[in-house]
Amino acid sequence: MTDTPSGSRTLEVALGSRSYPIHIGPGLLGTPAALAPWLAGRQVMIVTNATVAPLYLERCRAALPADAEVRELVLPDGEATKTLEHVSRIWDALLEAGFNRRCTLVALGGGVIGDMVGFAAACYQRGVAFIQVPTTLLAQVDSSVGGKTGVNHPLGKNMIGAFWQPRAVLIDTDTLATLPARELSAGLAEVIKYGLIRDADFLAWLERSLPELRALEPAALAHAIERSCALKAEIVAADETEQGVRALLNLGHTFGHAIEAHQGYGAWLHGEAVGAGMLMAAELSARLGWLASADVDRVEALLEAAALPTAAPAAMGVEDFLARMRLDKKNIDSRLRLVLLRALGAACVHDATPEATLRELLEHFPRG
Amino acid sequence: MTDTPSGSRTLEVALGSRSYPIHIGPGLLGTPAALAPWLAGRQVMIVTNATVAPLYLERCRAALPADAEVRELVLPDGEATKTLEHVSRIWDALLEAGFNRRCTLVALGGGVIGDMVGFAAACYQRGVAFIQVPTTLLAQVDSSVGGKTGVNHPLGKNMIGAFWQPRAVLIDTDTLATLPARELSAGLAEVIKYGLIRDADFLAWLERSLPELRALEPAALAHAIERSCALKAEIVAADETEQGVRALLNLGHTFGHAIEAHQGYGAWLHGEAVGAGMLMAAELSARLGWLASADVDRVEALLEAAALPTAAPAAMGVEDFLARMRLDKKNIDSRLRLVLLRALGAACVHDATPEATLRELLEHFPRG
């Protein structure tokens, strides 16, 4: 991490020849030619969605050098756009513009835009450059690191895709000013997750700093994003192929996915379900004797400070949870595998939770 | 290269952690469990086309272990199928079968099937295993090496794709028994090309052995295929990103593409156009003082022995050639770049052919 005079900071994601920088700070998109160092050539296509375009497309264009040959493509907003058909529209636009292998795609938007544009770049003429400009907190702390790109299929989420690294990630914290409060909270759930998994100091900092984060104080935002990306980068570097330690990134996700699926996707935001799911994981860890009840209280207080749910859906019964959880991809040979907490800041994968203990948790966990 | 007791041979394509073997020989598909060593897990999908399926699908199935969970998908035949829509059909079939990340795709067919199945494997769940079982000579000596996969777009050939290496390539020379003679000749054009580019000894061997090759003599076929794959592998290893020496693989292609495009794709087979194109490149090299006329005669005799054309299309004028050649991707700053021959077995890229010399060649080259 390096601090620059302007107050922005840069984190290097170390992936050998595919290493790239993440720049974080306020006003980055306003900076003339801020994107110039990472362009493969003069041809640039900015891909964004109909919600983000009126807010930030002009500022993004201003961050390109004056001699760039810039095209723009505005797709509809929402998870429903994350399809092969919409990625094909990107390819159509690139070919109609006559763009060659030295073109650069710029993904301006949230996770859906980032995933689609990254996949379009991975497969256009067998691979061209792309730059991520994430405009939601969730995309800034999650999809900035890891190189996962792709689209949904009617039979499954993220089923078609590629690993493809960006040339750079530019995170302008000013873009969070227009993010709905509920989406900011959902992004904070992932930030809290990184602290719970492997950084007790960061967790303590979050406890002190959540008011500043919710007030969008630039230095606090930049630190939270930088630390989250750094923690994710460490985990991904240790396990690029998702065989071991990378599973820890799923803290709260087994419970959370059960909530999302039971409520119908979109009713709860992903981060909201993960928030409640992390508290459930903490309580289960306490029932296994690993956490003190004071630790669980700290998790609950953090979630409350982030305006995240601390109860499961009112109508969701024990069997509703168990049925969904048994379908989890992490399970091996029908043995339930959960990411739990040995301590705050120290997650582990555990596959020997007694069913009675899990049932007790599910019975007693508050519904709201 | 290693010889095995059964008369088959194995060539290793050296690509670090992505290295893989090419097995070449008669009767490989008849061998029980011949494909077993390279399966990622029990789930296997064989993808082929309607022409190849009745001939070799059963034999391919027999080469899988008895406990494999095998699905089959038969696509229509022909270059027109090489679209994203048909690759989507492969993804649909994989998801409908509930296939996971440890599945293996088997591409049974010519270059179109190989390119599509390789691309489907590259992007299914961000990358699964695949095995090439090429059944045309062209696919055996061309797409077996290089890792290029992809599909056509209405605005350009091979515009959408990925670099993705197979786990193994299994070349059963018996499959050439059912290949139409014209397609066998088209494949031989690429075999001759490898000799002309960088192996004078192989070229001399081809001059002696073309009758055996056209008679499908297994040992001669296996040697020709092995040597072609080895030569291509050397070139690709030296220039994986296609910046320099890999351009030599385009010997005959600038003239050939002009013929294909002028006649309408499909009227001349690609290998036929490359055959005539290589003779044009040899004659131009002679006009530049690099080849003796006896060298050009040897090239012509080789093409004749392979039943390939030694004349350009009757109705194709000098301007028809020049207009198409100016569009070639190899050109830089509108300077015509051609792959020519310094000697038989020693190709080079040359961008200083005087226009008058090129025009003389185009005027005097025979039309047929």
Side-chain angles (χ1 to χ4, degrees), chain A residues 84 88 91-92 95-96 101 119 122-126 148-149 153 155 158-163 242, chain B residues 84 88 91-92 95-96 101 119 122-126 148-149 153 155 158-163 242:
Chain A
L84 198 57
S88 281
W91 291 327
D92 294 346
L95 284 162
E96 281 157 18
R101 284 187 203 165
F119 184 50
C123 298
Y124 184 62
Q125 302 206 17
R126 299 201 186 91
K148 287 187 179 179
T149 72
H153 183 280
L155 294 177
N158 296 316
M159 283 296 162
I160 311 302
F163 284 97
E242 208 165 15
Chain B
L84 198 57
S88 281
W91 290 327
D92 294 346
L95 284 162
E96 282 157 17
R101 283 187 203 165
F119 184 50
C123 299
Y124 185 62
Q125 302 206 15
R126 299 201 187 90
K148 287 187 178 179
T149 72
H153 184 279
L155 294 177
N158 296 317
M159 283 296 161
I160 311 302
F163 284 98
E242 208 165 14

Side-chain angles (χ1 to χ4, degrees), chain A residues 36-324:
Chain A
W38 306 289
L39 302 180
R42 290 181 60 247
Q43 299 172 333
V44 182
M45 183 171 288
I46 305 173
V47 184
T48 186
N49 69 38
T51 305
V52 174
L55 299 169
Y56 300 111
L57 183 51
E58 200 177 314
R59 243 186 266 182
C60 187
R61 215 185 293 120
L64 291 167
D67 69 342
E69 184 189 334
V70 185
R71 308 293 170 115
E72 290 151 12
L73 180 64
V74 180
L75 298 174
D77 192 7
E79 182 83 17
T81 24
K82 203 172 132 178
T83 62
L84 198 57
E85 288 66 35
H86 283 93
V87 171
S88 281
R89 281 186 52 189
I90 303 176
W91 291 327
D92 294 346
L94 289 166
L95 284 162
E96 281 157 18
F99 273 21
N100 60 34
R101 284 187 203 165
R102 291 184 60 226
C103 69
T104 306
L105 304 195
V106 178
L108 174 69
V112 170
I113 283 289
D115 285 4
M116 282 201 292
V117 176
F119 184 50
C123 298
Y124 184 62
Q125 302 206 17
R126 299 201 186 91
V128 298
F130 90 112
I131 298 171
Q132 293 264 26
V133 184
T135 59
T136 68
L137 182 58
L138 180 60
Q140 291 167 354
V141 299
D142 185 17
S143 23
S144 295
V145 179
K148 287 187 179 179
T149 72
V151 296
N152 298 328
H153 183 280
L155 294 177
K157 288 184 78 169
N158 296 316
M159 283 296 162
I160 311 302
F163 284 97
W164 194 247
Q165 305 295 342
R167 286 274 188 114
V169 179
L170 196 88
I171 297 176
D172 184 341
T173 50
D174 287 351
T175 59
L176 299 180
T178 51
L179 191 67
R182 211 181 141 191
E183 287 195 44
L184 185 75
S185 291
L188 287 172
E190 299 282 340
V191 173
I192 293 167
K193 186 190 76 176
Y194 295 115
L196 286 172
I197 291 175
R198 62 192 267 141
D199 191 340
D201 289 344
F202 181 48
L203 203 69
W205 179 86
L206 284 172
E207 291 177 311
R208 297 193 299 275
S209 309
L210 262 171
E212 282 106 302
L213 291 173
R214 294 189 62 203
L216 303 179
E217 203 280 301
L221 284 173
H223 179 70
I225 294 166
E226 186 269 332
R227 200 66 208 119
S228 297
C229 290
L231 287 163
K232 182 165 182 189
E234 281 172 31
I235 292 172
V236 169
D239 177 25
E240 221 180 326
T241 53
E242 208 165 15
Q243 303 301 308
V245 72
R246 197 162 171 167
L248 300 183
L249 294 174
N250 285 311
L251 176 67
H253 281 60
T254 307
F255 295 110
H257 283 157
I259 293 173
E260 279 184 275
H262 183 265
Q263 299 297 100
Y265 283 97
W268 280 47
L269 294 179
H270 176 71
E272 294 171 335
V274 167
M278 290 192 295
L279 186 56
M280 297 177 84
E283 286 218 357
L284 185 55
S285 303
R287 284 173 188 272
L288 290 167
W290 300 343
L291 292 191
S293 72
D295 294 327
V296 179
D297 292 346
R298 281 179 66 189
V299 176
E300 184 168 8
L302 248 180
L303 296 172
E304 273 168 3
L308 286 162
T310 53
M316 199 167 168
V318 172
E319 295 306 325
D320 295 328
F321 268 104
L322 289 174
R324 303 273 181 188

Side-chain angles (χ1 to χ4, degrees), chain B residues 273-358:
Chain B
V274 167
M278 289 192 296
L279 186 56
M280 297 177 84
E283 286 219 356
L284 186 56
S285 304
R287 283 174 188 272
L288 290 168
W290 299 343
L291 292 192
S293 71
D295 293 329
V296 179
D297 292 345
R298 281 179 67 189
V299 176
E300 183 168 9
L302 248 179
L303 295 172
E304 273 168 4
L308 285 163
T310 54
M316 199 167 167
V318 172
E319 297 306 325
D320 295 329
F321 269 104
L322 289 175
R324 303 272 181 189
M325 291 170 71
R326 289 194 185 105
L327 300 175
D328 193 78
K329 280 201 295 281
K330 282 189 297 302
N331 302 339
I332 295 177
D333 297 335
S334 74
R335 214 181 162 95
L336 199 62
R337 293 174 86 225
L338 293 168
V339 183
L340 298 176
L341 295 167
R342 285 283 178 185
L344 296 189
C348 65
V349 176
H350 187 67
D351 68 355
T353 304
E355 169 141 354
T357 313
L358 179 59

Side-chain angles (χ1 to χ4, degrees), chain A residues 356-368:
Chain A
T357 313
L358 179 59
R359 282 186 176 274
E360 274 172 37
L361 165 81
L362 294 171
E363 272 159 27
H364 292 98
F365 193 83
R367 302 298 197 275

